[in-house]
């Protein structure tokens, strides 16, 4: 009888209104009676069977990993269902119905770690550059201090300096020669300017004589002779200007390029000599001091720096000797050619020997610019 009553209760319909609440039950109270009967039966079974049923429910109950979270309510679409078994790693899930996001912080932590690593590497690179610059400034300051100290001690006669009498005599001769050649260059440029003005005056005077010869019939021959003479002098003057300009250009190259390059090497040599003597004096002072562990380490470091400066000094000294030798040979060769050119051109011009003047320019491969070509074209300037 009990089973029939429960079967009847299980097959009955329970009406549900639009809000999901249960509606009014019919007047048939069979369901209530069945519930009371089932309660009385449970009371009679006892605690042993109740415990066994509870254990069975716990064992065979639903697996939490297989359940689903329904965000769209009853009857929602499948897009709103998020299986709990898939929520293992870092992810971001979206609810298709309400467009909501469930953030998981694993991915953000990786991005934060990557950005922090890049910022740390950039900071380390910047710190490395700063340390390198600091070390460079430190070495430069120490070297400047030692060289200044050595220079002052030499000037006041308290310090010793390395002296190469033969080399220093050659250097002094070069500097004196350069000063004299600069004076020759200055005078040659002044002669060129004055002679150029004279040639321009002769050219204007010849044009004036030629014009007057046309307008003065009674003095046509006299003006004509003078016009031709001035034009011939102007032509020869332009030829001489070409020779003098070549002479000036060669002297300028010798003085301001060849000699100046040798003097720059000499300046580097003198600076190396000052540094060498500064580190030599420093090593000598340390050698006279105590001989403990700290002092020995400083002496060893000073010995290495002294050897480095000594090698630099000897290398530059050798360079200066070689350059002075080649400079002397080049100077003799250049000046022999230029002085011969200057003499022959001046002599031929003032002797009125036009052929000899032109032959002198051909001998030294000097090409004159045509009239009206004082300024080089834009192609020649490229």
């Amino acid at each position: 009888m009990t089973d029939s009553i429960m079967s009847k209760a299980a097959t009955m319909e329970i009406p549900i209104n639009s809000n999901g609440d249960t509606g009014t039950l019919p007047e048939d109270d069979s369901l209530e009676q069945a519930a009371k009967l089932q309660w009385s039966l449970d009371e009679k079974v006892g605690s042993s069977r109740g415990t066994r049923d509870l254990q069975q429910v716990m064992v065979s109950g639903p697996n939490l990993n297989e359940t689903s979270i329904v965000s769209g309510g009853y009857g929602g679409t499948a897009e709103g269902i998020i299986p709990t078994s898939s929520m293992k790693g870092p992810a971001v899930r979206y609810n298709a119905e309400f467009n909501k996001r469930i953030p998981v912080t694993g991915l953000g932590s990786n991005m934060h770690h990557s950005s922090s690593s890049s910022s740390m590497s950039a900071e380390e690179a910047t710190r490395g550059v700063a340390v390198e610059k600091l070390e460079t400034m430190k070495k430069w300051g120490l070297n400047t201090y030692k060289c200044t100290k050595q220079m002052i001690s030499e000037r006041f006669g308290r310090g010793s300096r390395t002296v190469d009498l033969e080399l220093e005599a050659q250097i002094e001769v070069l500097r004196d020669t350069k000063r004299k050649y600069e004076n020759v260059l200055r005078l040659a440029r002044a002669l060129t300017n004055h002679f150029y003005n004279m040639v321009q005056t002769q050219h204007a005077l010849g044009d004036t004589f030629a014009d007057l010869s046309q307008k003065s019939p009674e003095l046509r021959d006299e003006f004509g002779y003078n016009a031709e003479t001035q034009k011939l002098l102007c032509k020869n003057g332009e030829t001489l200007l070409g020779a003098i300009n070549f002479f000036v250009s060669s002297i300028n190259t010798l003085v301001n390029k060849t000699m100046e390059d040798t003097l720059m090497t000499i300046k580097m040599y003198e600076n190396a000599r000052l540094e060498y003597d500064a580190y030599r004096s420093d090593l000598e002072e340390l050698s006279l001091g105590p001989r403990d562990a700290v002092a020995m380490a400083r002496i060893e470091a000073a010995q290495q720096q002294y050897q480095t400066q000594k090698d630099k000094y000897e290398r530059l000294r050798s360079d200066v000797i070689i350059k002075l030798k080649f400079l002397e040979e080049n100077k003799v060769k250049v000046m022999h050619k230029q002085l011969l050119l200057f003499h022959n051109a001046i002599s031929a011009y003032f002797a009125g020997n036009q052929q000899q003047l032109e032959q002198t320019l051909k001998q030294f491969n000097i090409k004159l610019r045509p009239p009206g070509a004082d300024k080089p074209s834009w192609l020649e300037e490229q």
Side-chain angles (χ1 to χ4, degrees):
M1 180 178 179
T2 303
D3 296 333
S4 63
I5 295 172
M6 292 298 298
S7 177
K8 181 180 180 180
T11 58
M12 292 180 66
E13 294 182 358
I14 302 176
I16 301 175
N17 58 10
S18 60
N19 293 329
D21 299 333
T22 58
T24 305
L25 293 176
E27 293 179 358
D28 190 1
D29 58 354
S30 299
L31 183 59
E32 183 179 358
Q33 291 177 2
K36 291 181 180 181
L37 181 59
Q38 182 64 32
W39 177 262
S40 63
L41 289 175
D42 291 339
E43 290 289 339
K44 292 179 182 181
V45 171
S47 60
S48 61
R49 183 177 178 182
T51 304
R52 185 169 58 255
D53 292 341
L54 180 61
Q55 293 176 353
Q56 184 177 1
V57 171
M58 294 295 292
V59 173
S60 63
N63 188 2
L64 294 178
N65 293 329
E66 297 177 355
T67 59
S68 299
I69 300 174
V70 182
S71 60
Y74 181 79
T77 60
E79 294 178 355
I81 300 175
I82 305 175
T84 57
S85 60
S86 65
M87 298 175 62
K88 295 180 180 181
V92 178
R93 300 288 182 173
Y94 286 86
N95 188 332
E97 182 178 356
F98 297 100
N99 196 19
K100 294 181 179 179
R101 185 177 66 175
I102 305 175
V104 183
T105 59
L107 183 61
S109 62
N110 293 334
M111 295 178 63
H112 178 71
H113 179 70
S114 177
S115 61
S116 62
S117 299
S118 61
S119 62
M120 288 177 63
S121 61
E123 184 179 356
E124 290 176 356
T126 305
R127 188 183 298 110
V129 172
V131 170
E132 184 178 357
K133 290 184 178 180
L134 183 61
E135 289 295 329
T136 303
M137 290 295 295
K138 182 179 178 181
K139 292 180 180 179
W140 175 82
L142 183 60
N143 184 70
T144 303
Y145 166 75
K146 290 182 178 181
C147 293
T148 305
K149 179 182 177 182
Q150 176 67 23
M151 183 172 57
I152 294 174
S153 62
E154 289 178 4
R155 183 165 299 180
F156 287 96
R158 293 194 300 266
S160 60
R161 63 186 299 267
T162 302
V163 179
D164 189 335
L165 296 177
E166 182 180 359
L167 183 58
E168 290 190 359
Q170 295 178 5
I171 293 173
E172 188 60 32
V173 168
L174 173 60
R175 286 174 174 158
D176 184 64
T177 303
K178 185 174 183 293
R179 286 191 295 267
K180 293 178 179 179
Y181 276 47
E182 287 175 345
N183 189 35
V184 171
L185 180 62
R186 180 180 60 83
L187 294 174
R189 283 174 173 170
L191 176 63
T192 303
N193 293 331
H194 296 322
F195 196 76
Y196 174 78
N197 293 330
M198 187 186 73
V199 170
Q200 294 300 315
T201 303
Q202 289 175 342
H203 187 275
L205 188 59
D207 292 341
T208 304
F209 285 158
D211 183 63
L212 289 173
S213 68
Q214 298 294 330
K215 297 180 180 180
S216 302
E218 66 279 3
L219 297 174
R220 177 178 300 178
D221 295 337
E222 289 78 0
F223 279 124
Y225 295 151
N226 282 277
E228 292 178 359
T229 302
Q230 294 300 321
K231 288 182 179 179
L232 180 61
L233 291 174
C234 181
K235 181 180 178 180
N236 293 339
E238 291 176 352
T239 305
L240 180 61
L241 276 175
I244 297 176
N245 285 330
F246 186 77
F247 174 81
V248 170
S249 176
S250 300
I251 300 299
N252 179 66
T253 301
L254 178 63
V255 172
N256 293 322
K257 291 185 178 180
T258 309
M259 291 185 178
E260 188 65 27
D261 178 71
T262 304
L263 288 174
M264 287 296 296
T265 306
I266 291 173
K267 185 176 181 181
M268 295 171 60
Y269 157 74
E270 291 175 345
N271 292 335
R273 196 277 311 163
L274 183 63
E275 293 178 354
Y276 165 69
D277 285 337
Y279 283 93
R280 177 182 55 80
S281 300
D282 188 29
L283 180 61
E284 291 176 355
E285 292 178 0
L286 291 175
S287 300
L288 297 176
R291 294 289 180 146
D292 54 357
V294 178
M296 291 301 297
R298 294 180 61 184
I299 291 175
E300 183 178 358
Q303 180 68 33
Q304 294 177 357
Q305 294 176 349
Y306 163 77
Q307 188 63 39
T308 301
Q309 296 299 328
K310 182 180 179 181
D311 295 339
K312 180 181 178 181
Y313 164 74
E314 291 179 351
R315 183 180 68 253
L316 287 173
R317 178 178 176 273
S318 177
D319 293 344
V320 169
I321 293 174
I322 293 173
K323 283 197 172 186
L324 285 174
K325 179 180 178 181
F326 281 106
L327 175 62
E328 184 65 24
E329 295 176 357
N330 188 31
K331 182 192 70 173
V332 172
K333 182 179 179 180
V334 169
M335 292 307 299
H336 175 76
K337 177 181 178 179
Q338 296 303 319
L339 291 174
L340 183 62
L341 166 67
F342 191 80
H343 173 267
N344 292 342
I346 292 291
S347 300
Y349 173 79
F350 285 99
N353 193 341
Q354 181 181 359
Q355 294 180 354
Q356 184 180 356
L357 181 61
E358 293 177 354
Q359 186 65 30
T360 301
L361 267 66
K362 291 181 181 180
Q363 179 183 355
F364 293 95
N365 297 322
I366 301 174
K367 295 181 180 181
L368 298 178
R369 293 177 181 175
D374 295 337
K375 183 178 181 181
S377 64
W378 65 273
L379 287 175
E380 294 175 346
E381 293 177 351
Q382 300 301 319

